[in-house]
Amino acid sequence: MCVTCGCSDDNQTTITNMENADHHTHTLPDGTVITHTHHHEETPQIHAKIHNTTISLEQEILSKNNLLAAQNRGWFKGRNILALNLMSSPGAGKTTLLTRTINDLKDQLTISVIEGDQETTNDAEKIKQTGCKVVQINTGTGCHLDALMIERGLQELNPPLNSVVMIENVGNLVCPALFDLGEAAKIVILSVTEGEDKPIKYPHIFRNSEIMILTKIDLLPYLQFDVQRCIEYAKQVNPKIRIFQVSANTGEGLEDWYNYLVSSL
């Protein structure tokens, strides 16, 4: 449950291993795992009725998440796996960039994907076509992935040693920034179709990201988008943020992104 954004208490997360799409695992917010047989267990409803209770509950949830994230981080480190948390608003081009990256680096890197969406396996199907391993996590009414979901997803994904795990978070510029997943780096993806002021309108996600990828730059001739102003806004909220400008369609700028991935593993 996300107290900050109001995700419902009774939300169920569905994890689908795309190697066997008929196999589903449902995980309740309290960690209870329900198999595809749908034998549901009742979970207590949590009602934050006053402001102080809400704050306390939020802190408790984030604290538990951070503990699980630390365990995930240790799991990745022990297997020399580079885990990256890709975050953006819907339609920014995460999946397009991801599929292009997987295809172009097949001979250099082994990449697996945890795909996060509220519903459908549409993006996971696209990623599966590249030949890489992919697990779909559907969050239902949830607006972000959390460390517990990633832990369960990794059990299904079983990524190999010395590889890269790309975590494509639910499309949202707010709550994904709050939840540590155990990743090596948070990467925020912004398309030139969204407006150059996004870094100052949604500063938290840019402040907590190591990298900003500005996508769809092939569309710049057709848009009123001030690239330099966007970069200045991003540097204003996060002076250390690293910025790549790319087009997944034309390939422009992808070399720097690819060099980062290869050199980081």
Side-chain angles (χ1 to χ4, degrees), residues 85-97 115-117 123 143-144 167-177 186-191 194 198 202 205-206 209 211-213 215-216:
N85 182 3
L86 308 183
M87 307 173 295
S88 79
S89 59
K94 291 194 302 298
T95 306
T96 301
L97 176 63
E115 177 66 39
D117 284 301
D123 288 345
C143 60
H144 60 269
I167 303 168
E168 185 173 352
N169 218 312
V170 179
N172 182 351
L173 285 178
V174 182
C175 290
K186 288 181 171 65
I187 298 176
V188 60
I189 298 173
L190 174 67
S191 81
E194 296 179 77
K198 288 298 182 292
Y202 301 94
I205 197 166
F206 289 88
S209 295
I211 293 172
M212 179 181 86
I213 301 180
T215 62
K216 305 184 183 182

Side-chain angles (χ1 to χ4, degrees), residues 52-92:
N52 288 339
T53 304
T54 300
I55 293 175
S56 176
L57 181 57
E58 180 179 349
Q59 290 174 340
E60 181 181 345
I61 290 170
L62 291 176
S63 177
K64 179 181 179 181
N65 181 83
N66 291 340
L67 178 60
L68 291 171
Q71 294 174 358
N72 289 344
R73 187 168 286 109
W75 192 91
F76 287 128
K77 184 177 180 180
R79 291 159 177 77
N80 192 35
I81 293 174
L82 175 66
L84 300 175
N85 182 3
L86 308 183
M87 307 173 295
S88 79
S89 59

Side-chain angles (χ1 to χ4, degrees), residues 47-245:
H47 299 284
K49 296 182 179 180
I50 60 175
H51 184 64
N52 288 339
T53 304
T54 300
I55 293 175
S56 176
L57 181 57
E58 180 179 349
Q59 290 174 340
E60 181 181 345
I61 290 170
L62 291 176
S63 177
K64 179 181 179 181
N65 181 83
N66 291 340
L67 178 60
L68 291 171
Q71 294 174 358
N72 289 344
R73 187 168 286 109
W75 192 91
F76 287 128
K77 184 177 180 180
R79 291 159 177 77
N80 192 35
I81 293 174
L82 175 66
L84 300 175
N85 182 3
L86 308 183
M87 307 173 295
S88 79
S89 59
K94 291 194 302 298
T95 306
T96 301
L97 176 63
L98 195 48
T99 54
R100 174 77 187 248
T101 299
I102 294 167
N103 283 321
D104 287 354
L105 295 182
K106 276 183 177 179
D107 296 333
Q108 299 181 62
L109 294 176
T110 300
I111 300 175
S112 304
V113 176
I114 294 178
E115 177 66 39
D117 284 301
Q118 287 192 325
E119 297 292 347
T120 82
T121 60
N122 291 350
D123 288 345
E125 294 288 354
K126 294 175 184 177
I127 293 167
K128 184 181 177 182
Q129 291 175 11
T130 68
C132 87
K133 297 175 66 175
V134 56
V135 165
Q136 174 74 57
I137 298 180
N138 290 124
T139 61
T141 58
C143 60
H144 60 269
L145 298 176
D146 63 28
L148 178 60
M149 297 177 192
I150 298 305
E151 179 189 37
R152 301 297 186 192
L154 288 171
Q155 293 175 12
E156 293 287 341
L157 188 65
N158 191 26
L161 304 178
N162 309 310
S163 66
V164 178
V165 171
M166 297 284 196
I167 303 168
E168 185 173 352
N169 218 312
V170 179
N172 182 351
L173 285 178
V174 182
C175 290
L178 300 174
F179 286 81
D180 184 5
L181 306 179
E183 72 274 8
K186 288 181 171 65
I187 298 176
V188 60
I189 298 173
L190 174 67
S191 81
V192 299
T193 60
E194 296 179 77
E196 63 268 8
D197 61 349
K198 288 298 182 292
I200 55 174
K201 291 181 72 173
Y202 301 94
H204 191 74
I205 197 166
F206 289 88
R207 188 175 297 120
N208 284 275
S209 295
E210 288 80 358
I211 293 172
M212 179 181 86
I213 301 180
L214 189 61
T215 62
K216 305 184 183 182
I217 60 173
D218 54 304
L219 299 179
L220 283 172
Y222 313 104
L223 301 169
Q224 293 182 339
F225 183 92
D226 191 327
V227 173
Q228 188 56 41
R229 180 172 294 181
C230 180
I231 292 174
E232 290 173 358
Y233 285 151
K235 293 287 187 178
Q236 178 180 321
V237 299
N238 183 356
K240 296 182 179 180
I241 197 167
R242 188 173 179 180
I243 299 171
F244 299 124
Q245 301 179 47

